[in-house]
Amino acid sequence: MSGDSSKTQPHPAMWLLWLALFVGLPALVASWESGAAGHAEIAFPPVAAALARRPSTPPPAVEPVRVYALETDQARALNAAIPFLKGPAPAARPFRFSGSETDLARATDCLAAAQIYEAGDDAVGEKAVAQVVLNRVRHPAFPGTVCGVVFQGQERATGCQFTFSCDGALARTPSAAAWDRARAIAGAALRGQVYRPVGYATHYHTDWVVPYWSKSLDKVAAVGTHLFFRWRGWWGTPPAFRKSGAGGEPLIGRIARLSAAHVGAPDVPSAVSPLPTGEAGDIAALPQQMIGADALGKTVGGVRLIAIVPGTRAFLVELGRGTAPDKWPAMALTFCAGRPECRIMAWRAGAAPAGLPLSDAKLEAMAFAYIHNVGSGLQRALWNCAQSPRANHSECMRQRLPTTVPAKATAPELKGVRRKERFETVTIGPVAPPVEKPSPRDK
């Protein structure tokens, strides 16, 4: 056939239009949807540029918890009246822990402690707590370490950010199974697992209390009976959560009975006299013995192996009967050979625990501990001098006082904060309170 093909073929501009409609538009929609889901936080460059402009004002202040003194029904009615955020609520970016193995072990157990004491043995609640803690680690308004966030304000009787760290709740010991589950959830979160429903929330509370900040933040999610919030404005947007880690995780002695990674005094000197076993670097240079789960309950190096901390950097053992205390450091040649970081916790025969977590009594009954870290130069052997007196007092363990529960705070604004299976609340500053009948205790 012959004829003018220009009359039957579409104009090139039409091809471009069809391409934009059938390719560009779906791609744009997909980009927007993934942004709302947390995969792409900002879809449009102009919006991204606007949000990336950090305000000149400092991050919001985070103060100790304060709630209104309201009855449960009143509190729930006020909380229900606060609408959920209608705009985008993207999921947080995956958190990738980048510290040393020691820091990771400490961070894991601090995060697990926050989860289990805040949410109880509930996997969903623990994941939500973990996400809020990691959101805080990334935000400039909070400390830059996991342990620093979890135990912020622990030195104050009523000023801690997570009440379990200062109200005596740590005196309760979770079951071994519950602790293991909490550690597994914490480990997954530190490896990048995201709990999407709470987004970039940094605050939460139960629906039966009303914090002072509840109307000044955006309510983004509800998980069970708990409500999650994020800051308004730039400080609640993804670009605000870009802070890098502050470095080493602090040692939290208050959870030492739960965590071998937190056993030891924070003021242990790094320069110590050589031990009978040799320098830490020499021990780490020896061939490593494969000590795994199959050795649990068996005699290894003259002691019975009780437990192995995940990562095989710490071992709990029961000492042999009649072994001289001066011979105990020799265990390092068996358990710590080939390991740049290593810790041994030992008990006399008949006094050993069944495993982790440790009760206060078992922690106090520990007879001997050895630790070395080739990277920091730390190497130390410590004896329980109440059991085995030492001529050099620097070789003695620091004795711990029995855990006591402080008196409950009587301040009116703290009424109803501590409840079973509740999440913690914090405040960023007072706002105008709701209308309520005056209480004699508030005068």
Side-chain angles (χ1 to χ4, degrees):
M1 293 179 64
S2 63
D4 187 356
S5 61
S6 63
K7 295 181 180 180
T8 60
Q9 296 296 325
H11 191 276
M14 293 298 297
W15 287 112
L16 294 176
L17 178 60
W18 284 108
L19 183 64
L21 288 174
F22 287 99
V23 178
L25 183 59
L28 182 61
V29 172
S31 175
W32 181 87
E33 290 178 343
S34 64
H39 297 298
E41 292 162 349
I42 305 298
F44 301 98
V47 178
L51 291 178
R53 289 196 293 268
R54 175 171 175 162
S56 58
T57 55
V62 183
E63 300 175 5
V65 58
R66 295 181 66 199
V67 300
Y68 295 116
L70 300 173
E71 296 299 326
T72 299
D73 290 343
Q74 288 180 293
R76 284 181 168 148
L78 284 170
N79 286 323
I82 299 174
F84 284 97
L85 175 70
K86 294 183 178 179
R93 292 178 298 110
F95 187 98
R96 305 288 184 183
F97 192 86
S98 59
S100 68
E101 290 188 358
T102 296
D103 289 333
L104 177 58
R106 291 177 181 177
T108 300
D109 290 347
C110 283
L111 189 56
Q115 296 166 194
I116 201 164
Y117 284 103
E118 287 289 292
D121 187 15
D122 169 62
V124 175
E126 288 185 36
K127 290 177 182 179
V129 170
Q131 190 61 59
V132 169
V133 170
L134 297 184
N135 287 347
R136 288 188 173 198
V137 174
R138 282 176 162 164
H139 201 283
F142 299 94
T145 63
V146 175
C147 293
V149 164
V150 172
F151 289 91
Q152 184 180 13
Q154 63 168 324
E155 69 281 358
R156 300 190 297 267
T158 58
C160 45
Q161 293 298 325
F162 294 92
T163 307
F164 81 90
S165 70
C166 64
D167 70 351
L170 281 168
R172 301 194 304 269
T173 303
S175 69
W179 179 245
D180 287 343
R181 278 191 294 272
R183 292 190 79 256
I185 292 171
L190 292 169
R191 292 191 300 271
Q193 189 171 98
V194 174
Y195 185 70
R196 303 173 63 84
V198 301
Y200 281 94
T202 50
H203 303 70
Y204 56 86
H205 68 85
T206 57
D207 65 0
W208 59 70
V209 298
V210 179
Y212 278 76
W213 49 257
S214 60
K215 288 188 176 180
S216 65
L217 274 68
D218 286 330
K219 184 165 71 171
V220 297
V223 179
T225 59
H226 304 91
L227 306 174
F228 291 77
F229 299 76
R230 75 180 189 193
W231 272 306
R232 290 174 180 167
W234 190 89
W235 292 110
T237 63
F241 295 81
R242 299 287 183 177
K243 183 185 64 178
S244 59
E249 293 285 336
L251 190 68
I252 307 296
R254 303 184 66 201
I255 60 171
R257 64 192 181 88
L258 302 173
S259 167
H262 288 276
V263 174
D267 56 352
V268 171
S270 59
V272 295
S273 58
L275 299 173
T277 53
E279 298 290 346
D282 296 335
I283 297 174
L286 296 173
Q288 183 180 125
Q289 296 198 35
M290 300 305 295
I291 302 175
D294 58 333
L296 292 173
K298 300 178 181 179
T299 299
V300 179
V303 298
R304 184 174 69 87
L305 182 60
I306 300 171
I308 304 173
V309 174
T312 61
R313 296 185 303 274
F315 304 89
L316 277 63
V317 303
E318 183 180 56
L319 299 162
R321 295 183 184 275
T323 308
D326 286 340
K327 301 294 185 182
W328 293 343
M331 285 188 292
L333 295 177
T334 298
F335 291 94
C336 297
R339 304 180 196 277
E341 298 179 21
C342 185
R343 187 187 303 267
I344 303 172
M345 303 162 65
W347 286 260
R348 290 181 179 273
L356 290 170
L358 302 174
S359 66
D360 288 332
K362 289 299 183 183
L363 196 62
E364 194 72 17
M366 191 191 313
F368 174 77
Y370 171 85
I371 180 174
H372 79 220
N373 186 312
V374 174
S376 66
L378 171 66
Q379 185 185 28
R380 194 75 188 270
L382 296 171
W383 285 258
N384 185 331
C385 291
Q387 302 177 15
S388 308
R390 306 292 296 176
N392 184 353
H393 293 293
S394 67
E395 297 176 344
C396 295
M397 293 179 181
R398 185 173 60 182
Q399 296 298 301
R400 297 172 175 81
L401 297 175
T403 301
T404 57
V405 179
K408 293 183 178 178
T410 57
E413 66 270 20
L414 296 179
K415 177 184 177 183
V417 173
R418 187 67 188 172
R419 300 289 186 99
K420 183 178 180 182
E421 295 186 357
R422 63 97 187 86
F423 284 69
E424 186 48 61
T425 61
V426 298
T427 179
I428 63 169
V431 297
V435 177
E436 59 175 299
K437 295 181 179 180
S439 172
R441 290 179 296 177
D442 293 332
K443 297 181 179 178

